[in-house]
């Protein structure tokens, strides 16, 4: 009776021992094996995740003056990350989440999962605007691959089909997005270097007023300087023709 009168925050502050099981791979890890009641705070957190994702996608895709050429691939990776982490926040037992991640510390269960996803999303935004910086794209791709850590504490066949699908969807989309972002940076650098080299090879064109100005003389080359003197010497050596 007392447990039903407790606030949802307090009721789920600690994971009950009956809802946990030791990890078959790493026995020192306690995993959440049974999902309890989803609290209102967990629903609120999932709503915040959806709203934040929507705001970021609309801002990056529609409101900014220019859209990144890899926006679509990046958006799919963010959507995949949101789907996986949202389901994990609501159903930590399905993903065999370690108790130190699943328990409530301040506001609601799975706070750490929520904060981690929020950080990955912000790094993803940075990867679109971090001009010629590879670190944000690498960190974003790595953040999407953290879901593979589920298989460190539990065997894949013990997860449901939906849980495995969301994990692999996030991992594959994150790897593809990170690779495309890195390739786009390399292409931009290559194009910039090519433009610089072309600009340094091409000579500046002469203005029309310079070509018509008689006071602007072209510098004489060695051959043009030697030509008149050699011509005069040849004329002086030739025999004179006397008219009769």
């Amino acid at each position: 009776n007392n447990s039903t009168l407790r606030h949802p925050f307090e009721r789920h502050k600690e994971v009950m021992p009956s809802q946990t099981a030791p990890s078959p791979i790493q026995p020192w890890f306690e995993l959440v094996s049974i999902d309890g009641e989803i609290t209102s705070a967990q629903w609120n957190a999932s709503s915040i995740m959806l709203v934040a994702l929507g705001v970021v996608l609309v801002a990056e895709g529609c409101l900014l003056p220019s859209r990144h050429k890899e926006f679509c691939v990046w958006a799919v990776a963010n959507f995949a990350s949101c789907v996986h982490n949202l389901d994990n926040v609501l159903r930590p037992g399905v993903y065999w989440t370690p108790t130190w991640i699943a328990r409530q510390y301040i506001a609601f269960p799975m706070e750490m999962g929520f904060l981690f996803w929020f950080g990955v999303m912000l790094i993803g935004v940075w990867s679109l605007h971090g001009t010629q910086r590879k670190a944000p794209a690498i960190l974003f791709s790595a953040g999407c691959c953290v879901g593979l850590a589920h298989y460190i504490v539990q065997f894949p066949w013990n997860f449901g089909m939906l849980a495995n699908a969301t994990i692999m969807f996030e991992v594959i989309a994150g790897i593809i997005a990170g690779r495309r972002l890195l390739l786009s940076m390399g292409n931009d650098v290559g194009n910039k270097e090519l433009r610089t080299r072309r600009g340094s090879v091409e000579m500046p064109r002469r203005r029309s007023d310079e070509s018509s100005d008689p006071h602007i003389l072209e510098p004489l080359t060695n051959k043009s300087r030697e030509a008149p003197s050699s011509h005069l010497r040849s004329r002086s050596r030739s025999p004179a023709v006397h008219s009769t």
Side-chain angles (χ1 to χ4, degrees), residues 101-120:
I101 297 177
R103 66 164 48 98
Q104 174 183 337
Y105 289 95
I106 298 175
F108 56 90
M110 285 297 299
E111 295 165 336
M112 297 187 66
F114 169 79
L115 294 176
F116 176 80
W117 170 83
F118 206 85
V120 171

Side-chain angles (χ1 to χ4, degrees), residues 29-45:
F29 272 105
E30 285 290 326
L31 308 179
V32 178
S33 59
I34 301 175
D35 285 320
E37 178 185 354
I38 299 177
T39 67
S40 59
Q42 284 173 281
W43 287 115
N44 293 337

Side-chain angles (χ1 to χ4, degrees), residues 141-152:
S141 182
C144 292
C145 293
V146 170
L148 293 174
H150 289 293
Y151 301 136
I152 298 177

Side-chain angles (χ1 to χ4, degrees), residues 232-240:
L232 291 176
R233 286 195 298 270
S234 62
R235 289 184 60 184
S236 62
R237 294 177 182 175
S238 59

Side-chain angles (χ1 to χ4, degrees), residues 78 81 85 112-126 136 139-140 143:
N78 273 278
S81 179
N85 286 279
M112 297 187 66
F114 169 79
L115 294 176
F116 176 80
W117 170 83
F118 206 85
V120 171
M121 185 186 67
L122 293 179
I123 294 174
V125 174
W126 182 24
L139 289 175
F140 175 66

Side-chain angles (χ1 to χ4, degrees), residues 80 83-85 87-88 91 93-96 144-145 147-173:
V83 168
H84 165 64
N85 286 279
D87 193 28
N88 196 2
R91 304 189 303 163
V94 174
Y95 292 89
W96 299 91
C144 292
C145 293
L148 293 174
H150 289 293
Y151 301 136
I152 298 177
V153 296
Q154 184 59 272
F155 296 111
W157 52 84
N158 289 330
F159 292 81
M161 183 179 297
L162 179 60
N164 282 318
T166 60
I167 293 172
M168 297 312 301
F169 182 30
E170 181 187 19
V171 171
I172 295 173

Side-chain angles (χ1 to χ4, degrees), residues 175-236:
I175 292 175
I176 294 175
R179 181 176 181 275
R180 294 285 293 271
L181 288 171
L182 291 175
L183 289 177
S184 67
M185 294 177 191
N187 293 335
D188 291 341
V189 172
N191 294 334
K192 185 179 294 185
E193 291 179 352
L194 183 60
R195 289 193 298 267
T196 304
R197 291 174 183 174
R198 287 178 178 176
S200 61
V201 170
E202 293 180 357
M203 298 298 293
R205 296 181 179 178
R206 177 185 293 180
R207 296 181 300 180
S208 58
D209 56 349
E210 291 179 354
S211 60
S212 61
D213 191 354
H215 299 287
I216 301 177
L217 301 178
E218 291 287 335
L220 297 177
T221 62
N222 294 331
K223 293 183 179 180
S224 63
R225 291 175 181 174
E226 295 175 357
S229 60
S230 61
H231 180 64
L232 291 176
R233 286 195 298 270
S234 62
R235 289 184 60 184
S236 62

